[in-house]
Amino acid sequence: MRSARRLSAALTAGLLAVTLAACATSERDDGAAAGGSGEAGGTMVFGAPGAPDNFDPIFATDGETFRPARQMFDTLITYAQGTSDLAPGLATEWTPNAEGTEWTFALREGVTFHDGTPFDAAAVCFNFDRWFNLPNEAAQSQAIYYTDTFGGYANNLAGGGDPVYNSCEAPDASTAVIKLNRNKGAFPAAFGLTSLSISSPTALQQYDADTIEQSGEAFTYSAYATEHPTGTGPFKFESYDRAGGTITLVRNDDYWGEPALLDRLIFRVIPDENARRQELQAGTIDGYDLPSPADWAGLEADGNQVLVRPPFNVLYLGINQKNNPALQDVRVRQAIGFALDRESLVRNQLPEGASVATQFMPDTVAGYADDIQAIPYDPERARQLLAEAGQSNLTLNFYYPTEVTRPYMPNPTNIFTALSENLRQVGITVNAVAQPWAGGYLDSVNVNGVHDLHIIGWTGDYNDAGNFVGTFFGAAKPEFGFTNDALFGAITAADATVDPAAKDAAYEQVNRDIMAYLPAIPISSSPPAVVVSEAVTGLIPSPLTDERFLTVSKN
């Protein structure tokens, strides 16, 4: 992968030019060349670490929900396989106006949704208008990626702000014009977000896609999101056996590009990493995500292929200031930072190539501040700060996920155990709260904000500083429970800066400001892997964990 920092500069320069697609080639063709030499047909069974929350991309917030969606849906712009480079998706060209407030998309022709509905500019506008007009608080609270990207809604019901989106026009069937209220640095790359996948307007209406209900801390999704997801992608939804943890997709023979080689693609949810490895060894699955770093050598010795992704993520300890007033004192947050032995954690629990994070983005992203030093492990300093703050007997509710492995977090329980022990050593009492990843944890920390501390992380969706720090700290969120208008304003200003050098400098200062305010503790960046049997060809590891299975075959 070419330098991410150089890539970011190139993308921003492209915004100032006219048409990025003019120099882009279809990576689908490249991908097919890389993996299309295998035989067509057959079924691949892939072991997934967690269950999807639903199948409506606008309500997806995690990798396990994105994985099947990426096979069924397309976006206007996509990311070339194995890179974060932009490539044509449902749009073959995209052109901004001089102010970056209007994007004109030339749409691919002859494309149909899985239900036979034609894809055209009206369908694009239907989707953008649907997202902007989500009709209830539950729906808006679940559309986290949309909120992060577009800021707010026509009628904010769940705490959104000033919306970036203005309108969508369809001057003809193959041209869509997206108008924004202000320039946003995330574009055009953010148009490739899986959450902004284009769904069939017919299916959205037929299956009441916007009907979402909240009961307590749980959400219930529509028939569209659970039984009838309908996109234009190379695979179609066939079934989801929740009890058996099996999602079955079948090839879309009417796909607009090179059709998938596999007849059938099955994702089997196997939360336990040891169980995934044993299933591969037994031949009951053909590959799985996130093998334990300790197993990489043994898996390769058995003839399997361990495909290591470049590190493009950050693991952090989140701090929620809302529920415990002690956490509103920066000295307490600093004490937590000094208490954590992150060097030891990286050395003992993360794969080779992992590193301690000094800030909330990888060092390959433009806007990374090289002059920020890692918080040292200094338990005595932590005790001093707690005493100065009058919090020597602090008790915190520490949430961590179960039944999942994440690219930045190979074993959540072990990482929780190490960090909580560090906290106990400086006198902090930890109340452990374990919840299943898709069975309460994400809603607890992202939506309901019931925790004091939590561990979670982020794999970059595209190459932009705003996708990291803007997502985390660009607005008030239940996850962190604070309001800091100066910080929010600085991030908004950096995001709206058009000049590449000025934008990089603005984000570098944002990173310094964040580490001074310390709303959370960055832990590490690490290279996750995916493993497949020797019979599998064509799976291209992505730094974005954006693997597409249309080029995969079994020999």
Side-chain angles (χ1 to χ4, degrees):
M1 186 181 74
R2 62 173 169 162
S3 164
R5 293 203 199 194
R6 286 190 290 109
L7 173 63
S8 179
L11 294 179
T12 308
L15 188 150
L16 298 173
V18 287
T19 303
L20 279 171
C23 60
T25 57
S26 170
E27 193 63 22
R28 297 186 188 284
D29 294 337
D30 295 343
S37 59
E39 298 177 4
T43 297
M44 178 176 184
V45 182
F46 187 84
D53 196 37
N54 69 91
F55 299 106
D56 186 345
I58 195 61
F59 301 126
T61 61
D62 70 294
E64 298 312 321
T65 304
F66 289 141
R67 194 194 313 274
R70 283 167 171 149
Q71 321 310 320
M72 296 186 286
F73 291 88
D74 291 308
T75 47
L76 294 177
I77 300 172
T78 190
Y79 310 109
Q81 289 203 60
T83 79
S84 56
D85 294 349
L86 301 188
L90 289 172
T92 57
E93 295 181 351
W94 49 96
T95 308
N97 64 0
E99 294 77 26
T101 56
E102 184 174 302
W103 288 88
T104 299
F105 294 89
L107 304 179
R108 199 175 292 278
E109 299 183 20
V111 178
T112 59
F113 292 97
H114 299 160
D115 61 354
T117 300
F119 164 78
D120 55 19
V124 172
C125 289
F126 186 95
N127 278 265
F128 274 84
D129 287 340
R130 174 207 174 202
W131 304 329
F132 183 53
N133 291 283
L134 285 175
N136 56 70
E137 180 178 354
Q140 292 185 13
S141 72
Q142 292 295 284
I144 292 174
Y145 267 82
Y146 182 86
T147 305
D148 289 341
T149 304
F150 287 98
Y153 299 84
N155 182 19
N156 288 322
L157 301 170
D162 185 20
V164 173
Y165 178 79
N166 180 284
S167 61
C168 178
E169 296 179 358
D172 59 60
S174 59
T175 305
V177 182
I178 307 297
K179 295 186 176 181
L180 309 177
N181 289 319
R182 57 185 180 274
N183 173 56
K184 186 175 176 63
F187 298 121
F191 287 120
L193 285 170
T194 302
S195 289
L196 303 186
S197 296
I198 305 299
S199 292
S200 162
T202 305
L204 288 170
Q205 294 174 93
Q206 182 176 358
Y207 300 110
D208 300 322
D210 295 341
T211 301
I212 296 181
E213 297 179 354
Q214 181 175 8
S215 177
E217 298 179 359
F219 292 84
T220 302
Y221 297 96
S222 69
Y224 179 81
T226 56
E227 302 173 15
H228 302 282
T230 308
T232 58
F235 288 95
K236 301 187 294 186
F237 182 84
E238 181 176 271
S239 64
Y240 178 28
D241 177 0
R242 287 182 179 274
T246 301
I247 304 115
T248 301
L249 311 181
V250 295
R251 183 174 57 217
N252 173 20
D253 290 326
D254 297 322
Y255 184 53
W256 54 266
E258 283 290 324
L261 294 172
L262 296 166
D263 291 333
R264 192 174 298 266
L265 174 60
I266 296 174
F267 294 116
R268 275 190 55 200
V269 179
I270 310 173
D272 182 74
E273 191 279 330
N274 287 326
R276 294 198 296 275
R277 175 172 49 80
Q278 292 166 2
E279 295 264 17
L280 180 65
Q281 291 171 331
T284 50
I285 63 175
D286 301 299
Y288 66 90
D289 204 356
L290 307 176
S292 169
D295 293 334
W296 289 5
L299 287 165
E300 289 186 322
D302 291 340
N304 300 296
Q305 307 167 70
V306 176
L307 311 174
V308 181
R309 306 166 171 118
F312 198 62
N313 57 47
V314 63
L315 166 69
Y316 59 85
L317 175 74
I319 301 173
N320 182 5
Q321 299 182 34
K322 179 182 177 182
N323 303 320
N324 190 326
L327 295 175
Q328 297 171 12
D329 189 329
V330 69
R331 293 172 296 181
V332 174
R333 302 196 297 274
Q334 291 170 339
I336 292 171
F338 283 118
L340 304 181
D341 186 358
R342 295 175 298 161
E343 288 281 0
S344 176
L345 186 146
V346 166
R347 183 172 60 253
N348 296 321
Q349 298 203 31
L350 298 178
E352 183 177 353
S355 60
V356 170
T358 66
Q359 52 209 279
F360 292 89
M361 64 171 66
D363 62 6
T364 49
V365 178
Y368 181 90
D370 292 311
D371 56 348
I372 296 177
Q373 302 298 310
I375 302 171
Y377 173 51
D378 189 343
E380 184 54 35
R381 179 61 177 148
R383 295 187 192 95
Q384 291 174 356
L385 285 166
L386 290 170
E388 291 173 11
Q391 298 296 338
S392 295
N393 296 309
L394 183 62
T395 297
L396 297 174
N397 297 315
F398 191 161
Y399 281 57
Y400 69 99
T402 60
E403 301 181 17
V404 75
T405 305
R406 304 306 307 137
Y408 43 80
M409 188 163 54
N411 189 316
T413 299
N414 288 352
I415 290 174
F416 161 79
T417 300
L419 297 179
S420 61
E421 180 57 27
N422 288 157
L423 296 174
R424 290 189 181 98
Q425 288 174 356
V426 301
I428 296 174
T429 299
V430 172
N431 291 331
V433 182
Q435 291 185 331
W437 176 259
Y441 182 76
L442 291 176
D443 287 336
S444 289
V445 302
N446 286 337
V447 179
N448 300 311
V450 296
H451 58 293
D452 295 327
L453 303 178
H454 69 295
I455 48 174
I456 202 167
W458 185 264
T459 298
D461 298 292
Y462 49 86
N463 193 339
D464 184 84
N467 186 239
F468 287 88
V469 295
T471 300
F472 306 147
F473 310 122
K477 287 189 164 186
E479 181 180 2
F480 301 109
F482 73 88
T483 297
N484 185 327
D485 290 334
L487 179 59
F488 299 161
I491 292 173
T492 299
D495 189 47
T497 303
V498 177
D499 177 74
K503 179 182 177 184
D504 293 352
Y507 269 118
E508 289 173 12
Q509 186 57 48
V510 162
N511 280 318
R512 297 183 191 102
D513 294 343
I514 290 171
M515 292 309 297
Y517 182 65
L518 210 60
I521 311 295
I523 303 294
S524 60
S525 291
S526 57
V530 59
V531 59
V532 293
S533 75
E534 60 184 349
V536 173
T537 60
L539 184 61
I540 302 171
S542 164
L544 313 177
T545 63
D546 180 22
E547 286 82 23
R548 309 287 173 134
F549 285 74
L550 79 166
T551 55
V552 172
S553 62
K554 286 175 63 179
N555 295 320

